[in-house]
Amino acid sequence: MNRVPRFRFAPSPNGELHLGHAYSALFTAEAAREAEGRFILRVEDIDFLRCRAALVDRMLEDLAWLGLSSQEPVRYQSKTMGAYRTALSRLSALGLLYPCFATRQEIREAVGDDPGHPRDPEGMPIYPGLHKHMAPHERQRLMDEGRPYALRLDMERAIAMAERKAGGPITFREYGTGPAGEEGELPVNPARWGDVVLGRKDIGVSYHIAVVVDDAAQAITHVTRGQDLFHATDIHRLLQVLLDLPEPVYRHHELIGDETGRKLSKSAGDRSLRALREAGVTAEEIRELLGFARQTVR
Ligand code: GLU
């Protein structure tokens, strides 16, 4: 049986959609069209402290204005929090998570101003391991006191377990390109992220856990997104192996440059789609500028 390819566009509603989002959404829709696949929307609103319902409506409206709508019911992360917690419980049962009570300030102090301290692909200092080896009774005491904590992945153990399960190094298939031109079958390197947070102190879950659970729940076969998320694929593939989730292929795209935005936004003052629209720019002009003019039927 031939599987219909499934593509998703998964914006986070923590601001107005701008040209970069439009590019990513059109890129995804075009990829789905070319593959005779489905274009599916997901609203990544786990961050209920920052996402506002009004912004979600505006976002869907902006997409509709661009001519894009989901071919399936939209999935809202805020409504499926239980699924992410279940995934975290599984990782916890595997002994791969530990609570970290450290505050940002404490982490900053532990890293100090050592310029040689290793950094992750986003430039953040690798977590220095505070609280990783805390005695169980001490952990319990802090929990009983109600001290807030994040759940971190024990990266070393996670990699060892995942490689054992996969029978060797974990890879992914890149059909687009990474920021340094990476393409084809690529090895992942999750170790460069250190012990990442999978359960945030404030909301209990994280982007990384939600994205892999959702891609599986929505049976996504093709993950199309900006190159800013290319390195995060390390963590996503690792989690897919650990949680026995299917492996999608990846197609990362370039981020559109400021120059492109400037061409249109002169009159609007900013690059949000709404501002452009209010300044009289048409959806067709945006599609054209971004290289996705509607194909004329021949
Ligand atoms: N929600 C993420 C963003 O808006 C995209 C997540 C993804 O495509 O994996 O940047």
Side-chain angles (χ1 to χ4, degrees):
M1 201 180 68
N2 265 345
R3 266 210 305 174
V4 176
R6 296 166 65 82
F7 295 73
R8 60 22 168 222
F9 175 57
S12 306
N14 41 26
E16 299 281 353
L17 286 193
H18 54 68
L19 282 174
H21 295 105
Y23 181 82
S24 201
L26 290 165
F27 181 93
T28 304
E30 183 59 18
R33 195 187 62 79
E34 275 170 9
E36 296 181 15
R38 290 177 88 68
F39 173 78
I40 303 163
L41 267 177
R42 172 162 85 229
V43 174
E44 300 217 325
D45 56 352
I46 42 166
D47 197 341
F48 54 83
L49 301 173
R50 285 167 74 209
C51 300
R52 283 180 287 136
L55 279 176
V56 176
D57 294 342
R58 288 164 78 89
M59 200 174 81
L60 297 177
E61 234 176 77
D62 287 347
L63 291 171
W65 175 70
L66 271 182
L68 301 175
S69 58
S70 187
Q71 293 178 289
E72 288 186 10
V74 177
R75 181 172 169 101
Y76 293 86
Q77 290 190 329
S78 56
K79 296 190 182 145
T80 49
M81 299 293 269
Y84 317 134
R85 290 193 204 104
T86 304
L88 287 178
S89 306
R90 280 191 61 191
L91 294 173
S92 186
L94 293 170
L96 297 178
L97 300 182
Y98 63 91
C100 166
F101 303 88
T103 60
R104 272 174 211 215
Q105 174 70 15
E106 283 165 343
I107 295 175
R108 253 197 311 271
E109 278 167 17
V111 170
D113 41 21
D114 170 10
H117 187 89
R119 290 181 176 263
D120 72 18
E122 286 174 352
M124 298 303 287
I126 295 285
Y127 177 67
L130 293 173
H131 300 187
K132 185 169 184 171
H133 304 290
M134 192 180 265
H137 69 270
E138 180 63 2
R139 267 186 191 152
Q140 199 52 55
R141 191 182 63 78
L142 293 175
M143 281 183 186
D144 293 347
E145 267 177 19
R147 281 269 296 271
Y149 59 89
L151 286 173
R152 288 186 178 270
L153 183 69
D154 183 331
M155 189 54 90
E156 216 181 304
R157 288 179 79 158
I159 293 171
M161 187 177 291
E163 290 191 343
R164 225 172 21 248
K165 276 182 91 165
I170 299 156
T171 60
F172 69 105
R173 167 63 60 175
E174 175 63 55
Y175 281 108
T177 43
E182 301 92 331
E183 57 182 17
E185 189 74 13
L186 298 170
V188 296
N189 182 7
R192 62 184 159 177
W193 289 93
D195 288 358
V196 282
V197 169
L198 293 188
R200 279 169 40 177
K201 251 187 199 175
D202 51 356
I203 56 172
V205 301
S206 76
Y207 158 65
H208 296 303
I209 198 76
V211 83
V212 295
V213 167
D214 284 346
D215 283 338
Q218 294 185 290
I220 299 303
T221 56
H222 292 66
V223 172
T224 49
R225 59 186 180 192
Q227 283 176 346
D228 52 336
L229 291 167
F230 175 81
H231 295 299
T233 313
D234 292 339
I235 303 168
H236 302 168
R237 284 289 301 122
L238 180 72
L239 294 176
Q240 284 158 1
V241 173
L242 292 169
L243 294 166
D244 303 304
L245 302 174
E247 175 185 356
V249 296
Y250 289 83
R251 189 160 157 203
H252 291 92
H253 60 71
E254 281 179 17
L255 301 175
I256 63 155
D258 278 351
E259 200 37 51
T260 311
R262 232 168 284 148
K263 280 189 209 154
L264 271 187
S265 51
K266 255 186 243 142
S267 44
D270 77 50
R271 294 175 13 156
S272 76
L273 294 183
R274 201 150 283 252
L276 294 169
R277 178 166 128 203
E278 279 160 11
V281 176
T282 66
E284 199 44 44
E285 282 171 314
I286 290 187
R287 296 179 74 105
E288 232 164 76
L289 174 86
L290 298 176
F292 299 101
R294 274 187 208 282
Q295 310 272 323
T296 43
V297 184
R298 274 179 276 184

